[in-house]
Amino acid sequence: MIEVIEARKRYWRRSILQGASFTVEKGTVTCLIGLNGAGKSTLLKAIMGLTPLTSGRILVDGEPIGPAMYERVSFIPDHLTLPPSMKLWEGLRFMAEFYANWNAEKAAELMTFFRLSASDRIGNLSKGTAAKFNLVTGLALDTEYVLMDEPFSGIDMFSREMIADVFASDLIEGRGVLLTTHEIGEMEHLIDKAVLLSDGVVVREFNCEAMRVAEGKSVVDVMREAYRA
Amino acid sequence: MKRYWLSIVLALFGVCGIAGYYVFGASDELPAFKLTTISGDPKEAEPLQITAQYENRIKLKYLYLTTKGSRYQPDEGLLDRPRPSWMDYPFYRKLLKDHRGFMRKKTVDSSLYVDEKRLVYADVRSETDRADYTIILDILDRASEETLHKEGTMPLPELNNWTIVSDVQVRGEDLHVLVQKSVKLRTGNEVRYEYVDHVFDLTGKHKRDMKLDFGLETPNNSTYFIYRNGEVGSSEFAGFWSQEQQQSEADFDGTPYWTYRAYTYSYDTGRITQVGDARLEKPNTPGYMYENWLEAGVFYTARSDHAKHSLEVERHELGTKRKHALTIEYDTLGGKELQSIRITAGRIYLLLSIPESEEELLVALDVSNGKVLYKGKISAEDGTENVMDVNQDLRPVRIDYNY
Amino acid sequence: MNRYLKLVHMEIHRFRYILAALLGLVAVVQWGALVWSARRMDAALDEVEKFGRYTMYINELSDRKISYAEAIYNAQQLYILSVLAVIGTLCAYLLFVWYRDWLGRSTFIYRLLMLPSARSSIYLSKLTAIVVFIIASLAFQALSLAIGGVIFEVLIRGDRQGESYFVDIVNATLVLQYLMPLRLGDFALNYGLGIVAVLVVFTGILIERSYRWTGIAYAVGYVLICAAAIVIPINVMGMYRTSSYLYTAEIVGIELAIILFVAAVSIWLGFRLLRRKISV
């Protein structure tokens, strides 16, 4: 379980996070929801140690974050993270060299699934193709948790469908997924848990299925309540 | 492993290339020179160091030559500090070893007095255009390691231009500090040197001053102090020489004659005595040389005669007032022109040129009788290509004695 | 260790074209300048032989010989320019080696920071790569001089060739004396200081990347303080004055301690920033 405890982050005078707390369980897909600038990306980066928190703690399976954690948590940001001069196969080789838990077969499957050509240059990929390659590098790591930042932003419809298929497949099964997205409507059927972020704190944290059954509300309904209030 | 060939090759290339540079560079150096004995006792040449300039097409470098071989002055690096040359000699190094604390900041050898009992360092602090200067005394008792520090300001009748300490001597209970003042003449930027002997007692208390008056015919002329080298112990006399242009006696071609005189000043009696006769010379002719040394109570004057290729050395024993003269002919020694001379430690050391082979001849003579004790030849090491050209590129500058 | 070496290789690999271009520039400019200069002197010698005097000003043709070192000496501006180009590029890359991972569509720094190895490897691998570039360039310069010697021998008639000592070749231009000083001790000192400078700059960059808006002020401040800490004591202790209270060995000892301290602080601070404060 990933635990975020009282996360605060301040840039100069602006407070982005003011004590956000939530958890991500293994085997569930958790969606971090919030308005633009609410701090969703910041939280993801903080969990990955890519930006420091002003105060608060983050624990992965009970332990604080550190370099060893990168074999257990994988992050797929909304842009590429490998040098543009590398070809796709060189990028995959880079991942294989540095990560012990790189699964080359999974990577090959994903490359085929997304119809990516290994000899293309990373810098030449279109936005949609780049997002797909990002997914390859993120998912082909045998990690317990996967974090995704806006996996659908700016992607064409057909690519989105392919990506959504991945969610349903066994590539995700058993892992704890934390993602942020604006396309709630499309993703709602895929996510198990929703965390609503407003003014730097978590205002609602709930299981989607349970919410629908108990109060008959969809995630979007809860969002309207929380953000309009 | 094969994948990383680029990095491995680059790293190895870098290391080997630089190693090769230094290994190869170390072996291909500028030509080495040696001092070989022609006749006489080789031990005579051991305390000597010849400074020479080696100049080829690209650069001029200084070379130091001893009986052990030659060494070039290396290019300056970050660790090289400017440093007076006397600090390289054993005399200084021993003082440094024995009295490391006292010798801090003491870098002018003419300000230092050394005898078995004590070390005295007299420094002068002067600013231009002030009507005074300050004498700073540091006295070390060598046995007890006690130091004394005293400062005293001396007023000046005129504005200061540049003041230095020429000599420091302890005579009995008196500490003499001989100060050279340079006084601006009314005409332009020329200066005249004046000397004052400030006398203190051994606790640094100022006793009296003696102004040295040499009685020059042309009062605007200077006398020049004759500096000593690495002496231990007290010396009664300070040596000076003067040169005055003679307006009346000019040659038919208009170049003037100069009158040269040598003097001693006695610290004990305060009297200035002329040494030897006044000489009428034409200094700017090729091959002319005139130099004085004062060492261990003997005053030496050496003059080379430009026409006759010979050297005249006069020896004045200041205590007994006896005078001896020697004439040395370069041809009999085997050389042509005089390059450098030093008289010290009872020897006359000469460097003469040998034009036929472009080599240099080093001769050591006994100063009392002119007997040749040693002859040596300076030339490029065996196996050097174009030996004559290389020898021609070497020009000796100075003979130094390792005090 | 393994991952560190792989990162070093990656950093070297990404720079390979620029390095090749720089070394190629050195070779082409220096050998070209040499050929031009040697030919000029050769022609001047022809004039001397034919007419007994020469019209172009070239040093010392009186003994009818020209040497390799002289040929370099007469073309040294081009040599100096080519060397400065390399130095300038490497200095610019001190900054770019870090900033290139942040700029553009693809931020490699994310990947580097998420590697399961210690983040200090990132710092050390970039440092090692820079060191490799420097020594490879120096070695290439030495090689280029050697090859130039061969070119000269082939180009000029044997009886016209004058003696060229290795020391002369190095002293023929203004730059090589400082770039490749003839005493190994000077080399170690100069380049040791250079590496400490790289450490300070790297840490300054990490400061800037950790503190964003005020980061640049802190970074510049840090670099200035380190520079002052090293340079000011040298003057205060009077290293280049004739007389000073401290002896040379004492000044050098103190200064060395300061330099090592600055290096240690830079490394420690750089590692710490990478571990805890760096922000993408």
Side-chain angles (χ1 to χ4, degrees), chain B residues 384-398:
Chain B
T384 312
E385 289 176 30
N386 302 322
V387 172
M388 277 242 342
D389 288 335
V390 170
N391 280 336
Q392 196 181 35
D393 289 333
L394 188 77
R395 207 162 47 84
V397 168
R398 204 172 62 228

Side-chain angles (χ1 to χ4, degrees), chain A residues 191-209:
Chain A
I191 60 180
D192 301 316
K193 178 168 152 183
V195 174
L196 267 63
L197 204 57
S198 177
D199 288 332
V201 288
V202 172
V203 290
R204 303 294 295 269
E205 185 178 352
F206 58 91
N207 182 296
C208 302
E209 183 69 28

Side-chain angles (χ1 to χ4, degrees), chain A residues 59-79:
Chain A
L59 299 173
V60 174
D61 290 341
E63 280 169 26
I65 56 180
M69 149 189 129
Y70 297 122
E71 300 265 11
R72 289 190 292 157
V73 185
S74 130
F75 180 42
I76 304 170
D78 60 354
H79 52 264

Side-chain angles (χ1 to χ4, degrees), chain B residues 281-301:
Chain B
E281 308 277 358
K282 280 184 86 165
N284 291 326
T285 41
Y288 175 80
M289 188 225 72
Y290 171 83
E291 259 186 82
N292 298 296
W293 295 264
L294 176 58
E295 192 173 301
V298 183
F299 196 107
Y300 303 91
T301 304

